[in-house]
Amino acid sequence: GEDVEQSLFLSVREGDSSVINCTYTDSSSTYLYWYKQEPGAGLQLLTYIFSNMDMKQDQRLTVLLNKKDKHLSLRIADTQTGDSAIYFCAEMTGSARQLTFGSGTQLTVLP
Amino acid sequence: EAGVVQSPRYKIIEKKQPVAFWCNPISGHNTLYWYRQNLGQGPELLIRYENEEAVDDSQLPKDRFSAERLKGVDSTLKIQPAELGDSAVYLCASSTRTGVGSNYGYTFGSGTRLTVV
């Protein structure tokens, strides 16, 4: 079955890089996503990567995909206090276009 | 473009009462999804529509939950009667059916936060 796993918490100092990791089990994933959710807010799409790519960079965000190990990571460069939020990894599989989410990683940025 | 619009934003009801949530997807998006997000967890799919047809409702608790998407545009999700455990954020999303390499335009609404007391 489908399962997406993330570590629950990450703390970093302002200005440092953050790396949030995710593992998934479905090798037929077509897209993998990173969403950001601030308290009381909806899901904000940060970035996504197509399954035939290894890396995608978008300003401060770098996504790395290791298909062999089914491992996805999100690196946030120069982390700011405004980056404090819960980050969800999600995979899309097959023609159903259903998203399966991890439980989220709470990122805390310390001043 | 307005994005996926949901209402109400918040709803507080007593247990055993009915409640309904409304979603207006992005214009032209054939596929509509309802997800439920429990506190401290990621969203989980409840039901998926292709136009007006519910093609995947295997995760929908059918004893108390129902959904409809008349005319293949707006959708309503209903709970009757609500239970304490139904407290969650209910998210609607929409996408196209085509567009490999373009993420299918997958977009979430802001959600309805339901509190059952």
Side-chain angles (χ1 to χ4, degrees):
Chain A
E2 300 163 356
D3 197 12
V4 179
E5 295 189 354
Q6 305 177 235
S7 53
L8 292 179
F9 303 100
L10 176 65
S11 292
V12 299
R13 293 282 178 191
E14 190 173 13
D16 288 349
S17 292
S18 307
V19 179
I20 303 172
N21 295 301
C22 170
T23 58
Y24 60 97
T25 57
D26 194 328
S27 58
S28 65
S29 297
T30 52
Y31 287 95
L32 294 132
Y33 297 77
W34 285 104
Y35 284 89
K36 177 184 180 183
Q37 189 173 43
E38 296 180 87
L43 291 169
Q44 175 193 351
L45 177 64
L46 287 178
T47 187
Y48 63 92
I49 188 167
F50 192 43
S51 58
N52 68 353
M53 298 169 63
D54 297 324
M55 185 183 85
K56 181 178 180 181
Q57 187 154 2
D58 184 1
Q59 299 181 340
R60 293 192 297 124
L61 304 179
T62 303
V63 178
L64 295 178
L65 175 60
N66 181 328
K67 286 195 71 177
K68 175 177 173 289
D69 295 337
K70 298 189 183 69
H71 182 267
L72 181 75
S73 68
L74 173 69
R75 179 177 181 270
I76 306 173
D78 187 25
T79 312
Q80 302 298 307
T81 54
D83 294 325
S84 292
I86 300 176
Y87 289 80
F88 290 96
C89 167
E91 62 174 349
M92 177 190 288
T93 54
S95 59
R97 283 167 278 112
Q98 171 182 340
L99 292 184
T100 301
F101 287 83
S103 296
T105 298
Q106 172 76 61
L107 174 64
T108 301
V109 182
L110 305 171
Chain B
E1 188 171 355
V4 177
V5 179
Q6 291 188 246
S7 68
R9 187 76 176 88
Y10 303 93
K11 189 75 176 178
I12 301 175
I13 62 170
E14 294 184 341
K15 62 182 180 182
K16 300 184 182 179
Q17 294 302 306
V19 65
F21 316 122
W22 176 80
C23 172
N24 180 240
I26 290 176
S27 177
H29 280 194
N30 306 95
T31 310
L32 183 145
Y33 314 78
W34 283 102
Y35 286 81
R36 177 170 62 188
Q37 184 178 18
N38 292 314
L39 186 64
Q41 298 181 18
E44 295 179 323
L45 182 71
L46 290 174
I47 189 169
R48 174 173 67 96
Y49 281 92
E50 294 290 347
N51 298 310
E52 65 275 9
E53 183 183 359
V55 295
D56 183 1
D57 62 357
S58 57
Q59 302 302 313
L60 190 72
K62 298 180 185 61
D63 57 335
R64 297 182 299 108
F65 286 65
S66 63
E68 60 183 12
R69 191 185 183 196
L70 300 177
K71 301 181 181 178
V73 182
D74 294 3
S75 177
T76 303
L77 178 68
K78 298 178 182 178
I79 309 174
Q80 182 171 12
E83 297 179 352
L84 295 176
D86 296 331
S87 294
V89 176
Y90 291 83
L91 294 161
C92 180
S94 69
S95 74
T96 62
R97 275 203 296 263
T98 58
V100 174
S102 68
N103 182 41
Y104 302 102
Y106 217 110
T107 306
F108 280 87
S110 297
T112 296
R113 183 176 295 274
L114 173 67
T115 302
V116 182
V117 297

PDB file of all heavy atoms in Angstrom, chain B residues 23-41:
ATOM      1  N   CYS B  23     -18.081  23.608  -1.959  1.00  0.00           N
ATOM      2  CA  CYS B  23     -16.829  23.823  -2.671  1.00  0.00           C
ATOM      3  C   CYS B  23     -17.120  24.221  -4.106  1.00  0.00           C
ATOM      4  O   CYS B  23     -17.927  23.589  -4.796  1.00  0.00           O
ATOM      5  CB  CYS B  23     -15.978  22.551  -2.660  1.00  0.00           C
ATOM      6  SG  CYS B  23     -14.492  22.630  -3.699  1.00  0.00           S
ATOM      7  N   ASN B  24     -16.435  25.255  -4.576  1.00  0.00           N
ATOM      8  CA  ASN B  24     -16.484  25.660  -5.978  1.00  0.00           C
ATOM      9  C   ASN B  24     -15.082  25.506  -6.556  1.00  0.00           C
ATOM     10  O   ASN B  24     -14.166  26.241  -6.159  1.00  0.00           O
ATOM     11  CB  ASN B  24     -16.974  27.100  -6.097  1.00  0.00           C
ATOM     12  CG  ASN B  24     -17.049  27.566  -7.538  1.00  0.00           C
ATOM     13  OD1 ASN B  24     -16.393  28.524  -7.943  1.00  0.00           O
ATOM     14  ND2 ASN B  24     -17.837  26.883  -8.332  1.00  0.00           N
ATOM     15  N   PRO B  25     -14.884  24.569  -7.460  1.00  0.00           N
ATOM     16  CA  PRO B  25     -13.528  24.321  -7.963  1.00  0.00           C
ATOM     17  C   PRO B  25     -13.105  25.374  -8.986  1.00  0.00           C
ATOM     18  O   PRO B  25     -13.885  26.238  -9.364  1.00  0.00           O
ATOM     19  CB  PRO B  25     -13.675  22.951  -8.634  1.00  0.00           C
ATOM     20  CG  PRO B  25     -15.092  22.942  -9.109  1.00  0.00           C
ATOM     21  CD  PRO B  25     -15.878  23.703  -8.076  1.00  0.00           C
ATOM     22  N   ILE B  26     -11.886  25.257  -9.435  1.00  0.00           N
ATOM     23  CA  ILE B  26     -11.381  26.139 -10.479  1.00  0.00           C
ATOM     24  C   ILE B  26     -12.123  25.836 -11.781  1.00  0.00           C
ATOM     25  O   ILE B  26     -12.347  24.661 -12.121  1.00  0.00           O
ATOM     26  CB  ILE B  26      -9.865  25.970 -10.648  1.00  0.00           C
ATOM     27  CG1 ILE B  26      -9.149  26.543  -9.420  1.00  0.00           C
ATOM     28  CG2 ILE B  26      -9.358  26.622 -11.921  1.00  0.00           C
ATOM     29  CD1 ILE B  26      -7.655  26.355  -9.417  1.00  0.00           C
ATOM     30  N   SER B  27     -12.493  26.874 -12.469  1.00  0.00           N
ATOM     31  CA  SER B  27     -13.239  26.716 -13.706  1.00  0.00           C
ATOM     32  C   SER B  27     -12.478  25.834 -14.698  1.00  0.00           C
ATOM     33  O   SER B  27     -11.282  26.044 -14.943  1.00  0.00           O
ATOM     34  CB  SER B  27     -13.483  28.095 -14.325  1.00  0.00           C
ATOM     35  OG  SER B  27     -14.148  27.975 -15.562  1.00  0.00           O
ATOM     36  N   GLY B  28     -13.185  24.836 -15.225  1.00  0.00           N
ATOM     37  CA  GLY B  28     -12.566  23.942 -16.195  1.00  0.00           C
ATOM     38  C   GLY B  28     -11.926  22.705 -15.600  1.00  0.00           C
ATOM     39  O   GLY B  28     -11.506  21.806 -16.337  1.00  0.00           O
ATOM     40  N   HIS B  29     -11.843  22.649 -14.279  1.00  0.00           N
ATOM     41  CA  HIS B  29     -11.279  21.463 -13.636  1.00  0.00           C
ATOM     42  C   HIS B  29     -12.349  20.379 -13.530  1.00  0.00           C
ATOM     43  O   HIS B  29     -13.349  20.538 -12.833  1.00  0.00           O
ATOM     44  CB  HIS B  29     -10.747  21.797 -12.239  1.00  0.00           C
ATOM     45  CG  HIS B  29      -9.401  22.431 -12.270  1.00  0.00           C
ATOM     46  ND1 HIS B  29      -8.610  22.550 -11.132  1.00  0.00           N
ATOM     47  CD2 HIS B  29      -8.678  22.971 -13.282  1.00  0.00           C
ATOM     48  CE1 HIS B  29      -7.469  23.131 -11.455  1.00  0.00           C
ATOM     49  NE2 HIS B  29      -7.490  23.405 -12.757  1.00  0.00           N
ATOM     50  N   ASN B  30     -12.103  19.254 -14.193  1.00  0.00           N
ATOM     51  CA  ASN B  30     -13.082  18.172 -14.203  1.00  0.00           C
ATOM     52  C   ASN B  30     -13.079  17.371 -12.907  1.00  0.00           C
ATOM     53  O   ASN B  30     -14.083  16.810 -12.512  1.00  0.00           O
ATOM     54  CB  ASN B  30     -12.769  17.197 -15.352  1.00  0.00           C
ATOM     55  CG  ASN B  30     -12.661  17.908 -16.682  1.00  0.00           C
ATOM     56  OD1 ASN B  30     -11.554  18.263 -17.109  1.00  0.00           O
ATOM     57  ND2 ASN B  30     -13.777  18.135 -17.313  1.00  0.00           N
ATOM     58  N   THR B  31     -11.921  17.307 -12.265  1.00  0.00           N
ATOM     59  CA  THR B  31     -11.770  16.437 -11.102  1.00  0.00           C
ATOM     60  C   THR B  31     -11.853  17.244  -9.815  1.00  0.00           C
ATOM     61  O   THR B  31     -11.213  18.284  -9.688  1.00  0.00           O
ATOM     62  CB  THR B  31     -10.420  15.699 -11.154  1.00  0.00           C
ATOM     63  OG1 THR B  31     -10.263  15.089 -12.441  1.00  0.00           O
ATOM     64  CG2 THR B  31     -10.374  14.608 -10.088  1.00  0.00           C
ATOM     65  N   LEU B  32     -12.658  16.752  -8.895  1.00  0.00           N
ATOM     66  CA  LEU B  32     -12.829  17.415  -7.602  1.00  0.00           C
ATOM     67  C   LEU B  32     -12.621  16.391  -6.508  1.00  0.00           C
ATOM     68  O   LEU B  32     -13.062  15.240  -6.617  1.00  0.00           O
ATOM     69  CB  LEU B  32     -14.236  18.026  -7.503  1.00  0.00           C
ATOM     70  CG  LEU B  32     -14.556  18.827  -6.240  1.00  0.00           C
ATOM     71  CD1 LEU B  32     -15.474  20.004  -6.579  1.00  0.00           C
ATOM     72  CD2 LEU B  32     -15.172  17.963  -5.160  1.00  0.00           C
ATOM     73  N   TYR B  33     -11.931  16.812  -5.446  1.00  0.00           N
ATOM     74  CA  TYR B  33     -11.588  15.928  -4.333  1.00  0.00           C
ATOM     75  C   TYR B  33     -12.053  16.560  -3.016  1.00  0.00           C
ATOM     76  O   TYR B  33     -11.965  17.770  -2.843  1.00  0.00           O
ATOM     77  CB  TYR B  33     -10.064  15.746  -4.218  1.00  0.00           C
ATOM     78  CG  TYR B  33      -9.316  15.476  -5.496  1.00  0.00           C
ATOM     79  CD1 TYR B  33      -9.028  16.507  -6.380  1.00  0.00           C
ATOM     80  CD2 TYR B  33      -8.857  14.196  -5.810  1.00  0.00           C
ATOM     81  CE1 TYR B  33      -8.319  16.283  -7.551  1.00  0.00           C
ATOM     82  CE2 TYR B  33      -8.130  13.953  -6.969  1.00  0.00           C
ATOM     83  CZ  TYR B  33      -7.870  14.998  -7.832  1.00  0.00           C
ATOM     84  OH  TYR B  33      -7.156  14.765  -8.994  1.00  0.00           O
ATOM     85  N   TRP B  34     -12.480  15.708  -2.103  1.00  0.00           N
ATOM     86  CA  TRP B  34     -12.662  16.112  -0.714  1.00  0.00           C
ATOM     87  C   TRP B  34     -11.661  15.339   0.141  1.00  0.00           C
ATOM     88  O   TRP B  34     -11.576  14.113   0.057  1.00  0.00           O
ATOM     89  CB  TRP B  34     -14.078  15.811  -0.221  1.00  0.00           C
ATOM     90  CG  TRP B  34     -15.117  16.763  -0.700  1.00  0.00           C
ATOM     91  CD1 TRP B  34     -16.027  16.573  -1.703  1.00  0.00           C
ATOM     92  CD2 TRP B  34     -15.398  18.054  -0.170  1.00  0.00           C
ATOM     93  NE1 TRP B  34     -16.832  17.669  -1.838  1.00  0.00           N
ATOM     94  CE2 TRP B  34     -16.469  18.592  -0.909  1.00  0.00           C
ATOM     95  CE3 TRP B  34     -14.840  18.819   0.868  1.00  0.00           C
ATOM     96  CZ2 TRP B  34     -17.004  19.861  -0.649  1.00  0.00           C
ATOM     97  CZ3 TRP B  34     -15.359  20.075   1.121  1.00  0.00           C
ATOM     98  CH2 TRP B  34     -16.436  20.584   0.372  1.00  0.00           C
ATOM     99  N   TYR B  35     -10.911  16.084   0.948  1.00  0.00           N
ATOM    100  CA  TYR B  35      -9.962  15.506   1.889  1.00  0.00           C
ATOM    101  C   TYR B  35     -10.373  15.907   3.304  1.00  0.00           C
ATOM    102  O   TYR B  35     -10.968  16.968   3.515  1.00  0.00           O
ATOM    103  CB  TYR B  35      -8.546  16.045   1.650  1.00  0.00           C
ATOM    104  CG  TYR B  35      -7.825  15.507   0.435  1.00  0.00           C
ATOM    105  CD1 TYR B  35      -8.083  16.034  -0.832  1.00  0.00           C
ATOM    106  CD2 TYR B  35      -6.871  14.504   0.547  1.00  0.00           C
ATOM    107  CE1 TYR B  35      -7.398  15.553  -1.948  1.00  0.00           C
ATOM    108  CE2 TYR B  35      -6.183  14.024  -0.562  1.00  0.00           C
ATOM    109  CZ  TYR B  35      -6.456  14.552  -1.803  1.00  0.00           C
ATOM    110  OH  TYR B  35      -5.774  14.083  -2.905  1.00  0.00           O
ATOM    111  N   ARG B  36      -9.987  15.086   4.260  1.00  0.00           N
ATOM    112  CA  ARG B  36     -10.165  15.427   5.673  1.00  0.00           C
ATOM    113  C   ARG B  36      -8.790  15.439   6.331  1.00  0.00           C
ATOM    114  O   ARG B  36      -7.989  14.513   6.126  1.00  0.00           O
ATOM    115  CB  ARG B  36     -11.077  14.418   6.373  1.00  0.00           C
ATOM    116  CG  ARG B  36     -11.227  14.684   7.867  1.00  0.00           C
ATOM    117  CD  ARG B  36     -12.308  13.826   8.490  1.00  0.00           C
ATOM    118  NE  ARG B  36     -12.023  12.402   8.382  1.00  0.00           N
ATOM    119  CZ  ARG B  36     -12.897  11.452   8.721  1.00  0.00           C
ATOM    120  NH1 ARG B  36     -14.086  11.766   9.182  1.00  0.00           N
ATOM    121  NH2 ARG B  36     -12.568  10.183   8.589  1.00  0.00           N
ATOM    122  N   GLN B  37      -8.547  16.508   7.105  1.00  0.00           N
ATOM    123  CA  GLN B  37      -7.276  16.614   7.826  1.00  0.00           C
ATOM    124  C   GLN B  37      -7.557  16.656   9.320  1.00  0.00           C
ATOM    125  O   GLN B  37      -8.078  17.651   9.842  1.00  0.00           O
ATOM    126  CB  GLN B  37      -6.498  17.853   7.393  1.00  0.00           C
ATOM    127  CG  GLN B  37      -5.123  17.937   8.050  1.00  0.00           C
ATOM    128  CD  GLN B  37      -4.319  19.128   7.602  1.00  0.00           C
ATOM    129  OE1 GLN B  37      -4.849  20.092   7.061  1.00  0.00           O
ATOM    130  NE2 GLN B  37      -3.009  19.082   7.837  1.00  0.00           N
ATOM    131  N   ASN B  38      -7.209  15.574   9.996  1.00  0.00           N
ATOM    132  CA  ASN B  38      -7.325  15.544  11.453  1.00  0.00           C
ATOM    133  C   ASN B  38      -6.140  16.282  12.058  1.00  0.00           C
ATOM    134  O   ASN B  38      -5.080  16.420  11.451  1.00  0.00           O
ATOM    135  CB  ASN B  38      -7.368  14.096  11.950  1.00  0.00           C
ATOM    136  CG  ASN B  38      -8.634  13.391  11.530  1.00  0.00           C
ATOM    137  OD1 ASN B  38      -9.733  13.935  11.646  1.00  0.00           O
ATOM    138  ND2 ASN B  38      -8.502  12.182  11.027  1.00  0.00           N
ATOM    139  N   LEU B  39      -6.318  16.724  13.281  1.00  0.00           N
ATOM    140  CA  LEU B  39      -5.299  17.502  13.970  1.00  0.00           C
ATOM    141  C   LEU B  39      -3.992  16.720  14.047  1.00  0.00           C
ATOM    142  O   LEU B  39      -3.978  15.560  14.460  1.00  0.00           O
ATOM    143  CB  LEU B  39      -5.788  17.869  15.374  1.00  0.00           C
ATOM    144  CG  LEU B  39      -4.895  18.810  16.166  1.00  0.00           C
ATOM    145  CD1 LEU B  39      -4.825  20.171  15.483  1.00  0.00           C
ATOM    146  CD2 LEU B  39      -5.410  18.956  17.590  1.00  0.00           C
ATOM    147  N   GLY B  40      -2.906  17.346  13.618  1.00  0.00           N
ATOM    148  CA  GLY B  40      -1.593  16.715  13.700  1.00  0.00           C
ATOM    149  C   GLY B  40      -1.306  15.688  12.630  1.00  0.00           C
ATOM    150  O   GLY B  40      -0.310  14.960  12.717  1.00  0.00           O
ATOM    151  N   GLN B  41      -2.162  15.632  11.615  1.00  0.00           N
ATOM    152  CA  GLN B  41      -1.966  14.644  10.544  1.00  0.00           C
ATOM    153  C   GLN B  41      -2.038  15.309   9.177  1.00  0.00           C
ATOM    154  O   GLN B  41      -2.470  16.461   9.043  1.00  0.00           O
ATOM    155  CB  GLN B  41      -3.026  13.548  10.644  1.00  0.00           C
ATOM    156  CG  GLN B  41      -2.967  12.764  11.942  1.00  0.00           C
ATOM    157  CD  GLN B  41      -4.023  11.674  11.978  1.00  0.00           C
ATOM    158  OE1 GLN B  41      -4.569  11.277  10.948  1.00  0.00           O
ATOM    159  NE2 GLN B  41      -4.311  11.194  13.172  1.00  0.00           N
TER     160      GLN B  41
END
